[in-house]
Amino acid sequence: KTTIREIYKETEKYLNNEVVLEGWIRTSRSSKTFGFLELNDGTFFKNIQIVFEESLENFKEVEKLPLSSSIMVKGILVPTPEAKQPFEIKASEIEIEGYSTADYPLQKKRHTFEYMRTIAHLRPRANTFNAVFRVRSILAYAIHKFFQERGFVYVHTPIVTASDAEGAGEMFRVSTLDFHNIPMNDKKEIDFTKDFFGKETSLTVSGQLEGEAFALAYKDIYTFGPTFRAENSNTARHAAEFWMIEPEIAFADINDDMQLAEDMMKYIIKYVMENAKEEVEFFNSFVDKGLIERLENVVNSDFGRITYTEAVELLQKSGEEFQYPVEWGMDLQTEHERYLSEKVFKKPVFVVDYPKEIKAFYMRLNDDGKTVAAMDLLVPGVGEIIGGSQREERLELLEQKIIENGMDPEDYWWYLELRKFGGTKHAGYGLGFERAVMYITGMTNIRDVIPFPRTVKSAEF
Ligand code: 4AD
Ligand code: MG
């Protein structure tokens, strides 16, 4: 037995020899005496053509197989120099494994991505998605490889948590109560703040706070896990459930943090370009013509750096008609982020030192008293891909900030203790995994890089 990937990779080895493949029928046509099937076995986004003749014992049956029936094929791999595909298999035996039916939805070669979202369970069978989800897998591996090679410890932070790591109130509540079976009148009697074994809990928005606890023991750690945001953002870049990578480094400041982010981005892009070469070429041909050039540019350039204040001035002077006019103190919108990375820098750029009012409570206050040591990495095509900061290590300032943000220091007692018992400067960032997949594939909607996406108004699967 072999695979289609093997055959494309090591054609010489297989040519004019007998091969055995298992897969699903993608297309089928036949005449009275012979027929063609295109087979895909999932190991590669390309198909292989199977020729079968009347002499085949079950010719009549094979000829009528509906698309997506699964078969085992035995035959000789022969070169076809005049044809579009470089080789085909002359079948000597075809064994039917599983029948499909005539109403299989993927009859045509091309369907819109929107339509494919409605059949998420069949979507990985289409070439584009085969390539997307393979790149997703390879990218995940590259990220682990990068951090493990540098000695970072992988920490599993909790999914169910009592703290709001971003302090933004965008949490999905987790409850042990069966709301549907509580009689209407009793509902007001219940203390909804103590519903998970006596505590109010939610799905985590970030593993950062727990990550900090481990960084202050191991020095360098990273998390890589699912995170959840109950934000009502129905955009092409926001999901309610997404994966995040969050390194945290102790004895390090915001510059060390940016250096790590830049090294990581270059490493993972290079890794994917080398280890999913055909897939990246496929995306470059069919999804985004400038992809490879852009990725090469990332690997070979030094990322830009600009302060928030400079960025605001630049945007104001740009003469662009933005939907949201720019003024100091506002959060940058996607249009501004993309303008900076696509028009001004034409490469990834870090924006640093944001106004403290628009950033999370844990970020370190700068000496100007107005800004915090925050950094966002903006990339062409996507906008913000990384958000990070140096953390406030000064106990009093952190406590004060928690109160200012309307949060209760009691809830964060353990987080505050990290500053009490040998606190040190430390920093970290979060890479949105799906945004990274989008960036490396050129796919423009986050729904198309998540196997079963959970976004505003969609959790059918
Ligand atoms: O900027 P964010 O909110 O930062 C944090 O969560 C920090 N705790 C990270 C840290 O310093 N350890 O999120 C980080 C990244 C964003 O830059 C973005 O790429 C991604 O996570 N992200 C989302 N991706 C998809 N859907 C959403 N709703 C996202 N929200 C954030
Ligand atoms: Mg952010």
Side-chain angles (χ1 to χ4, degrees):
K1 270 183 208 168
T2 183
T3 61
I4 294 183
R5 177 171 291 271
E6 271 282 302
I7 291 178
Y8 272 94
K9 283 233 146 106
E10 294 195 64
T11 309
E12 285 308 309
K13 186 172 138 195
Y14 292 100
L15 226 43
N16 301 311
N17 285 323
E18 186 177 81
V19 295
V20 179
L21 279 179
E22 292 165 322
W24 295 268
I25 299 174
R26 281 288 178 79
T27 67
S28 165
R29 65 203 154 88
S30 62
S31 69
K32 279 207 176 66
T33 54
F34 62 95
F36 296 104
L37 300 174
E38 273 185 85
L39 192 76
N40 187 280
D41 72 351
T43 62
F44 201 36
F45 59 83
K46 286 183 184 168
N47 303 330
I48 205 160
Q49 177 157 284
I50 315 287
V51 197
F52 60 102
E53 293 179 355
E54 211 180 7
S55 54
L56 205 71
E57 187 193 327
N58 52 355
F59 179 82
K60 283 256 135 27
E61 225 190 327
V62 170
E63 180 190 47
K64 288 200 202 73
L65 282 176
L67 298 192
S68 197
S69 298
S70 52
I71 57 173
M72 190 276 290
V73 181
K74 192 186 272 184
I76 307 285
L77 187 75
V78 294
T80 51
E82 336 67 65
K84 211 169 69 185
Q85 67 281 356
F87 40 69
E88 63 189 19
I89 294 173
K90 288 215 181 310
S92 57
E93 201 184 316
I94 293 181
E95 206 175 280
I96 299 161
E97 304 260 351
Y99 291 88
S100 177
T101 55
D103 59 354
Y104 179 65
L106 300 177
Q107 300 284 334
K108 286 192 304 178
K109 275 231 156 129
R110 278 183 194 283
H111 291 281
T112 63
F113 290 161
E114 286 79 9
Y115 171 68
M116 296 303 284
R117 283 174 215 149
T118 69
I119 48 167
H121 60 308
L122 302 175
R123 195 163 66 152
R125 302 179 185 205
N127 293 345
T128 304
F129 293 96
N130 180 292
V132 166
F133 296 120
R134 189 178 307 281
V135 166
R136 191 177 160 116
S137 163
I138 291 171
L139 182 63
Y141 180 68
I143 289 166
H144 280 296
K145 198 162 163 1
F146 172 80
F147 286 113
Q148 295 283 340
E149 278 172 7
R150 292 186 168 220
F152 282 56
V153 170
Y154 178 30
V155 182
H156 292 120
T157 50
I159 309 275
V160 174
T161 168
S163 41
D164 183 352
E166 291 302 300
E170 291 170 339
M171 317 263 281
F172 284 106
R173 290 289 302 279
V174 173
S175 176
T176 48
L177 294 173
D178 182 355
F179 289 97
H180 295 292
N181 286 324
I182 299 168
M184 212 44 199
N185 292 336
D186 293 349
K187 283 200 169 123
K188 54 182 176 306
E189 306 294 321
I190 294 163
D191 182 356
F192 287 103
T193 64
K194 293 199 171 46
D195 52 8
F196 188 88
F197 309 118
K199 210 152 177 55
E200 177 180 349
T201 48
S202 305
L203 295 177
T204 188
V205 294
S206 153
Q208 181 195 317
L209 306 192
E210 293 90 351
E212 285 183 52
F214 270 66
L216 292 169
Y218 284 93
K219 198 158 184 271
D220 295 335
I221 65 97
Y222 70 107
T223 76
F224 189 166
T227 49
F228 307 84
R229 302 262 166 113
E231 52 192 336
N232 197 9
S233 306
N234 194 9
T235 78
R237 309 181 317 138
H238 289 88
E241 176 180 317
F242 62 99
W243 284 58
M244 193 154 48
I245 295 93
E246 297 186 274
E248 191 72 30
I249 47 179
F251 303 99
D253 64 15
I254 187 87
N255 291 312
D256 301 318
D257 203 29
M258 286 189 277
Q259 191 59 52
L260 180 68
E262 181 167 341
D263 291 349
M264 179 199 68
M265 288 305 291
K266 288 178 174 169
Y267 181 99
I268 63 178
I269 288 174
K270 210 161 160 236
Y271 188 89
V272 170
M273 289 181 84
E274 282 165 10
N275 291 278
K277 197 165 180 290
E278 292 84 0
E279 280 77 7
V280 173
E281 278 162 9
F282 168 85
F283 292 120
N284 192 64
S285 308
F286 297 106
V287 174
D288 178 349
K289 296 257 186 276
L291 181 67
I292 291 183
E293 198 188 325
R294 203 166 63 231
L295 295 179
E296 275 170 354
N297 178 28
V298 174
V299 175
N300 298 320
S301 66
D302 289 330
F303 293 7
R305 288 192 191 185
I306 186 174
T307 66
Y308 169 89
T309 304
E310 289 163 351
V312 164
E313 280 167 14
L314 238 156
L315 289 163
Q316 283 170 338
K317 286 198 203 122
S318 70
E320 285 287 304
E321 293 270 333
F322 293 117
Q323 195 191 338
Y324 296 91
V326 182
E327 47 184 304
W328 200 96
M330 75 182 284
D331 213 355
L332 297 181
Q333 303 295 316
T334 303
E335 55 175 346
H336 309 130
E337 295 176 344
R338 293 189 57 169
Y339 180 83
L340 289 170
S341 63
E342 289 165 24
K343 301 269 163 59
V344 182
F345 284 88
K346 301 190 171 68
K347 63 181 182 183
V349 54
F350 288 106
V351 179
V352 294
D353 299 336
Y354 282 80
K356 62 177 184 193
E357 286 79 14
I358 58 172
K359 287 291 182 185
F361 69 94
Y362 51 71
M363 296 189 181
R364 190 179 197 279
L365 188 66
N366 286 325
D367 292 342
D368 61 13
K370 288 193 302 201
T371 61
V372 287
M375 62 94 160
D376 276 4
L377 179 65
L378 315 179
V379 295
V382 173
E384 179 191 336
I385 195 166
I386 283 177
S389 62
Q390 187 171 333
R391 319 308 188 186
E392 185 57 79
E393 82 282 11
R394 295 161 293 187
L395 181 62
E396 303 75 44
L397 285 182
L398 181 60
E399 210 157 18
Q400 195 186 317
K401 197 65 175 294
I402 287 178
I403 295 167
E404 271 172 30
N405 275 262
M407 297 150 65
D408 185 355
E410 294 274 306
D411 290 342
Y412 294 85
W413 67 272
W414 62 270
Y415 187 65
L416 290 162
E417 275 197 356
L418 300 175
R419 276 73 184 161
K420 207 170 122 190
F421 303 136
T424 170
K425 64 176 176 178
H426 62 288
Y429 62 82
L431 166 69
F433 184 54
E434 283 73 16
R435 297 218 182 144
V437 178
M438 290 167 74
Y439 190 53
I440 291 176
T441 57
M443 298 294 284
T444 53
N445 197 307
I446 197 164
R447 292 164 182 78
D448 299 330
V449 302
I450 304 179
F452 295 94
R454 273 89 182 91
T455 55
V456 177
K457 293 184 203 137
S458 117
E460 185 172 353
F461 290 89

